[in-house]
Amino acid sequence: MKKALITGITGQDGSYLAELLLEKGYEVYGMVRRSSTENFGRIEHIRDKIKFLQADLLDQFSIISAVKEANPDEIYNLAAQSFVPTSWDQPVLTGEFTALGVTRILEAIRHVNRDIKFYQASSSEMFGKVLEVPQKETTPFYPRSPYGVAKVYGHYITVNYRESYNIFGCSGILFNHESPRRGLEFVTRKVTYNAVKIKLNLQDTISLGNLDAKRDWGFAGDYVEAMWLMLQQDKPDNYVIATGETHTVQELVEIAFGYLNLDWKNHVKIDPRFIRPAEVELLIGDSSKARAKLGWKPKVSFENLVKMMIDSDYKLLTGKQKNS
């Protein structure tokens, strides 16, 4: 039985990856921080199948202890301060978690067992002010937020340990991926959740930022499969994971409100507070390398993803299934 250690297991990606690995017969360990309040909502249904280890990305010794105890075949580093707007308010903490945290895990692998395969969650935010459309593995990085800058560090330190210590380290450059388990602070979930509240007459408006920002949005459940596939290859490498389609925030709004038979123009307000200091205008990924080498491709379309999230939020808020 293979063993895997997942950091960030209580997050969106961690929960889907844990499900996938359990289905594949893995023994799954989850690294969690000691907290006065538990946040296991996304993994409650599989919680009894996971072994939890307490450690913190800010504390080197705790990570080494967790890696020794789990003795995993694979480590998936999905933990980070992952909300871009927060990275402007807490840039130093974002760097500690999202950049130096990667180094601490790689150091643990170097000292405990260099045969452990390592997956680093890189991000399309590293491309930022894009220098090439679409973006692929060789596109230069130009991050436009403290989060993006920290992710570039995490990406290159993974490459550095791969080349310096022969560690099997892969970086998955994942473009935006969403799901019903997405946090309410992210724009996709903010739109679907609040659109349902408007439909149910629980509120009347929603405030958003730049409706013209374009993103390549996919389904998180599809993307965690790509993470796993990367660690099953003969050689470690970096891969862009994306749908290759781009949609504006306005398109997201139109699909969500249209699915609920609402006119979005009556309910959406533009609030300058939600416009970033340095905006990332256009992200669209070229995942042809992943499709060719990993045999990976996305299964859920953008429209179906938005509808899936609406259906889930409707059930969450009413306890009932949405009637089409």
Side-chain angles (χ1 to χ4, degrees):
M1 182 186 286
K2 273 190 176 181
K3 292 192 285 185
L5 174 62
I6 303 172
T7 74
I9 195 167
T10 59
Q12 169 188 255
D13 292 8
S15 66
Y16 281 109
L17 179 62
E19 285 178 346
L20 178 76
L21 296 179
L22 287 169
E23 286 170 11
K24 293 184 178 296
Y26 277 66
E27 188 175 338
V28 176
Y29 289 81
M31 195 179 101
V32 292
R33 272 186 296 165
R34 174 75 181 91
S35 175
S36 56
T37 56
E38 290 188 338
N39 182 26
F40 290 122
R42 295 182 180 94
I43 53 171
E44 197 61 53
H45 61 297
I46 52 173
R47 187 173 174 177
D48 60 341
K49 299 175 182 175
I50 298 167
K51 296 180 173 69
F52 294 99
L53 300 172
Q54 283 191 5
D56 195 310
L57 285 183
L58 304 185
D59 178 32
Q60 181 71 71
F61 185 75
S62 70
I63 297 170
I64 290 172
S65 297
V67 172
K68 280 183 177 177
E69 186 172 342
N71 189 27
D73 300 283
E74 301 166 359
I75 294 177
Y76 296 85
N77 181 37
L78 310 184
Q81 190 301 100
S82 61
F83 188 46
V84 174
T86 297
S87 76
W88 294 102
D89 297 328
Q90 299 181 316
V92 175
L93 187 65
T94 298
E96 285 284 354
F97 276 117
T98 308
L100 293 179
V102 185
T103 315
R104 294 184 186 108
I105 297 173
L106 287 165
E107 274 292 280
I109 291 172
R110 185 166 78 91
H111 288 287
V112 176
N113 179 6
R114 295 188 188 186
D115 291 331
I116 296 171
K117 293 184 174 184
F118 176 69
Y119 171 83
Q120 166 58 14
S122 288
S123 167
S124 59
E125 288 286 332
M126 301 189 306
F127 295 120
K129 188 176 181 180
V130 297
L131 302 176
E132 181 179 33
V133 178
Q135 295 88 54
K136 51 183 183 285
E137 291 81 6
T138 54
T139 303
F141 299 135
Y142 193 146
R144 298 270 280 173
S145 67
Y147 170 78
V149 172
K151 279 293 187 183
V152 170
Y153 176 98
H155 177 86
Y156 277 127
I157 201 70
T158 299
V159 173
N160 186 258
Y161 272 63
R162 180 167 78 207
E163 295 176 351
S164 302
Y165 302 116
N166 201 31
I167 287 170
F168 193 110
C170 294
S171 274
I173 307 171
L174 271 57
F175 280 64
N176 295 63
H177 45 289
E178 317 299 317
S179 76
R181 300 178 193 174
R182 192 50 134 164
L184 287 169
E185 69 273 23
F186 290 85
V187 68
T188 45
R189 184 77 194 290
K190 181 179 178 180
V191 167
T192 61
Y193 184 78
N194 287 287
V196 172
K197 288 185 77 174
I198 290 167
K199 179 67 174 179
L200 298 173
N201 295 314
L202 298 174
Q203 67 187 52
D204 190 50
T205 61
I206 174 177
S207 296
L208 298 172
N210 182 9
L211 294 185
D212 296 322
K214 296 177 180 177
R215 293 290 184 275
D216 183 328
W217 277 300
F219 172 50
D222 290 342
Y223 284 40
V224 298
E225 184 182 9
M227 300 175 187
W228 175 77
L229 285 167
M230 287 178 211
L231 297 196
Q232 311 317 306
Q233 305 307 303
D234 293 332
K235 293 180 179 178
D237 208 344
N238 306 326
Y239 297 90
V240 163
I241 304 299
T243 68
E245 297 178 7
T246 188
H247 301 276
T248 63
V249 175
Q250 183 169 319
E251 285 179 74
L252 163 68
V253 169
E254 287 171 352
I255 293 171
F257 279 78
Y259 187 46
L260 292 164
N261 297 313
L262 294 170
D263 185 347
W264 68 272
K265 293 175 185 174
N266 296 331
H267 304 283
V268 174
K269 308 293 183 189
I270 305 302
D271 188 332
R273 288 181 305 151
F274 298 118
I275 296 176
R276 298 182 188 181
E279 182 58 89
V280 174
E281 297 290 348
L282 170 62
L283 290 174
I284 178 168
D286 176 0
S287 60
S288 53
K289 178 178 173 181
R291 295 174 194 237
K293 290 195 171 184
L294 305 179
W296 176 86
K297 63 180 180 181
K299 302 182 183 76
V300 179
S301 71
F302 177 65
E303 185 172 349
N304 286 341
L305 171 62
V306 177
K307 290 179 178 179
M308 176 200 303
M309 293 173 70
I310 289 280
D311 287 341
S312 174
D313 282 328
Y314 191 90
K315 187 173 182 182
L316 181 69
L317 286 162
T318 67
K320 297 180 287 189
Q321 301 286 348
K322 175 186 172 297
N323 296 320
S324 298

